[in-house]
Amino acid sequence: MAMRGRRLPAFAATHTARQRLLPALGQHTKLARRWQSTVGTGKTGHIEAKADELILFVDNLFPLKLSSLLLWRPWKAQNDVPELLKKFDKTSLGVFDPVSLVKRAIPDSLSVNITEVIPRTKEGGAYVKFTHPGDTSASEIQAKLSQALEQNPIKPWFSPFRGISTGLVLGRPWLEDLYRLPKSRLRVEFVPAKDSEQPDELSQEALYSVFRRYGWIADIISQPPDSKVLPKFAYVDFVLVKDAIMARNCLHGFVLQEEGSKAATKLRLSYEQRVKPHNIWKWISSHPRIVIPILAAFLATFTVIVFDPIREFFVKHHVQRSLEFTNSKLYKWLKRQTSDILSLGKKHGSDAGLNALFNHRKDLIDSIKSSLLESVDTFVVIQGPRGSGGKELVMDQVLEGRKDVLVLDCKPVMEARGEAGTIRKLAFQVGYRPVFSWANNLSSLVDLAIQSTTGVKAGFSENLEAQVVKILQTTASALKEVSLAGRKKDDQDANLSDDAYLEAHPERRAVVVIDNFLHKSEEKGIIYDKVSDWAAALVQSNVAHVIFLTTDTSYSKPLSRALPDRVFHQVTLGDLSPQVAKQFVVSQLEANARSDEKAKEDEKGGDGSPLKTDSQGRQDLQELDECIEALGGRLTDLQILARRLKVGQSPKKAVSDIIEQSASEILRMFLLTGNKTAGEGVDKERKWSVEQAWYLIKEIAKNDSLRYNEVLLANTFASSTTSSATNPEAALEALANAELITVKSHHGRPATIRAGKPVYQAAFAKLLEDKVVKSRMDLALLTELSKIEAKNIGTAEQELTVLAGLPNAPAQASDRVNYLLGKLQASQRKIEGFDKEMGALKKVLAEEA
């Protein structure tokens, strides 16, 4: 058992005291050199003891953690610490000298002669070699040392609660100077005591009886039976590191023979780093079906807690425009100071032209403004062809001066490539940031890997629908905060709830403008469904007013699904009348002329004469009435005309160029394309054919409008030979979406078909004037009609063959045979007529360049 001694008064370890101590330790021994020994006698690493010598290990002489402070010089730690303590010894701190502790641990009643002291700094102790009289056994000496330390414990300065202890060395100590720090676990290897013998593996009972005397044992782990590791070993885990140190220094090299075994076994001890059991990680890795969904929920919760408030902040300030430089006081001040010099304001020509338009549409503007002041839970839908000025009407007139406006343009969202691009564009439209669109692709790969290995879907990745809903929900929360931002505690209705307050104050609600609604709706219809549902939730919860801007006449289908029990506030924008169109063009020219004249007047110094407008100085503007009648009242076309007139073109020349450009555009997009949609790099079959487009162009050029049902019954639509254009109504709808035609409704049903834009009427006539284009398209149309008639002939012939096979030629079938023969004959005559026309057309194509 480890022994403890009594505490003695400290003595001054001066040079004189050392000289007095040397005889007690053995005058023939050079203590200083012995004290610094690190590898044992003869540098073999072992301590050799004579027959009359015993070895005692004394622990707690040095701070156990002191060697860790000298990691940068681990190979010198054995000498550094004694030298450090010797420096203390040279001052008044002689009590720190480990030699004095060794002296005090051995009572004077024991007649022993210390021959050598060997420090073990990294283990915090030292080996003490001594001789003893022959009449005193080793067990008696150990018992007296144990009794003395129990009666008078000795506690060093660095360990006020635990005294030093001693243990008799039973084995052959190995004084290695390797960098191996003490641990609480000992690896006990069973090696043969003699080379010719096979060692026996000790049982846990035997190991416990040998090691328990040195301290509390936490566990004994035997080598697995199926292990092939040699030599055999076992682990002994002590509760305290100091107990493992004492056991390792006392029992290394100890030879014992268990009862019943044939050969003796030598114990070889070494420190082993205990591998901490990762029970939590083991449970996590063995239960992926439980852990992975929990982890996904944790990540989702973390995202909601951390990122959602940040995203709501950015959406809120995007709606309020509070972070934009153009809304800052500095920008407004600079604009006021330099607007006359740098012309930072709007262009007067554009303002004048739009003012003329807005004056014409004042009733529509007032109607929309009034709807924004009413608590009506419905949408405002503004529908009109592209270029009718719907966005300018809403943004520049209806919402002029209004702060809290969110514009969601669906066009860039629908034209984005891939799901990541769609999410990024949608987030940009509403100010949703930060957005990690790339992370979803990575999450999909991780999700796929986990599903392939564990068989359970982790749920880390989100599909497009879930991400769109998440962005729109965050935007809705931010819009509600924006609508409630002006609410004060001292208001008369401060006691109302948020929902009741917004219902009572519709003028405080934010406005959401959804532009280009149903643009390319056939590609990503799920986005429009989610946007419609989100808009319906906004108006039903009184969070915001919603205005839809669309060119598609079928907008009622998705909106009615989202808001089925409401009547929409519908505004239809058409083309301008000739009188308003002329006023629009003239107002732009006059404003531009005033600006130019004023600039010239400022350069010359000014003579006070009245300004001369462009409309007053140009005689060719008398042609404007005739030209506008040919051009039509589409706002975009009128703006192009005004720009051409500003650069000096005559009205006739400008209109002629616009018509010719439109004809070229129609030719390129609808007539000279293959079976794929023009302007797209992907192979995508269209729902109409070239022959159908040319039929409409040809007939509308002759007649301003066509009856809808009459077109459906035409052979080119009813019996088209193009596989993707067999549905006549789908073909007309596709051509209307492509803006080649416009379908007018009557009592909710399609009634008439006109040109897509007013200028297209003149462009259609322009195409008919081109003999080559007309002959080529007519040839294609006649070829298709011939195929249709040939198909009818083939069908009649097949039925006639079946009737001819009937036995005895029944008289009841004669009427059917005559009908089929007449139909066959009529189709044949049509084919003959088509062939004659085709021959003439081929002749034109061969002669014309």
Side-chain angles (χ1 to χ4, degrees), residues 692-693 695-696 711-712 714-720 725-728 731-732 735:
Q692 291 172 342
Y695 174 85
L696 292 173
V711 174
L712 293 180
N715 285 339
T716 307
F717 283 87
S719 306
S720 177
T726 54
N727 188 341
L732 289 175
L735 289 170

Side-chain angles (χ1 to χ4, degrees), residues 106-125:
I106 301 177
D108 297 336
S109 60
L110 287 179
S111 55
V112 296
N113 183 25
I114 299 177
T115 60
E116 188 175 4
V117 178
I118 304 174
R120 294 295 292 167
T121 308
K122 69 178 180 180
E123 295 175 310

Side-chain angles (χ1 to χ4, degrees), residues 336-348:
R336 287 194 303 268
Q337 299 299 323
T338 60
S339 58
D340 294 336
I341 301 174
L342 301 179
S343 299
L344 294 180
K346 295 182 179 179
K347 295 183 180 179
H348 300 289

Side-chain angles (χ1 to χ4, degrees), residues 48-113:
E48 302 294 343
K50 299 180 181 178
D52 58 343
E53 288 182 333
L54 293 176
I55 301 175
L56 192 71
F57 183 76
V58 184
D59 74 343
N60 209 24
L61 296 177
F62 310 107
L64 189 60
K65 301 297 184 180
L66 189 58
S67 294
S68 61
L69 301 178
L70 304 173
L71 293 177
W72 59 282
R73 302 174 66 193
W75 56 88
K76 294 187 176 181
Q78 295 282 17
N79 293 331
D80 287 342
V81 179
E83 292 296 332
L84 179 63
L85 296 178
K86 286 181 180 181
K87 292 180 181 180
F88 292 159
D89 182 48
K90 293 178 182 178
T91 63
S92 61
L93 302 176
V95 68
F96 295 150
D97 195 341
V99 177
S100 65
L101 297 178
V102 174
K103 171 64 179 174
R104 292 163 58 191
I106 301 177
D108 297 336
S109 60
L110 287 179
S111 55
V112 296
N113 183 25

Side-chain angles (χ1 to χ4, degrees), residues 585-597:
V585 175
V586 171
S587 60
Q588 282 200 329
L589 295 177
E590 289 179 347
N592 183 71
R594 290 194 193 97
S595 180
D596 294 342
E597 289 291 337

Side-chain angles (χ1 to χ4, degrees), residues 361 382-392 515-516 549-553 571-576 633-637 736-744 755-758 760:
R361 294 175 173 174
I382 301 176
Q383 189 274 330
R386 188 176 59 180
S388 57
K391 186 173 183 181
E392 291 81 1
D515 193 13
N516 290 312
L549 298 176
T550 181
T551 60
D552 199 319
T553 56
V571 176
T572 302
L573 299 179
D575 297 324
L576 302 180
R634 188 64 54 89
L635 182 61
T636 52
D637 296 333
N737 292 333
E739 297 186 352
L740 178 68
I741 59 173
T742 298
V743 179
K744 301 293 183 179
K757 295 195 296 185
Y760 277 4

Side-chain angles (χ1 to χ4, degrees), residues 792-804:
N792 292 337
I793 292 174
T795 304
E797 289 177 345
Q798 290 180 358
E799 189 172 352
L800 287 172
T801 303
V802 173
L803 293 175

Side-chain angles (χ1 to χ4, degrees), residues 154-188:
I154 301 174
K155 298 179 181 179
W157 61 272
F158 56 83
S159 181
F161 303 104
R162 187 175 72 86
I164 67 174
S165 59
T166 60
L168 194 63
V169 178
L170 303 180
R172 186 187 182 195
W174 180 35
L175 302 182
E176 42 81 16
D177 54 357
L178 305 174
Y179 184 58
R180 297 178 181 176
L181 299 179
K183 307 294 179 183
S184 61
R185 166 173 283 191
L186 291 178
R187 179 187 174 96
V188 184

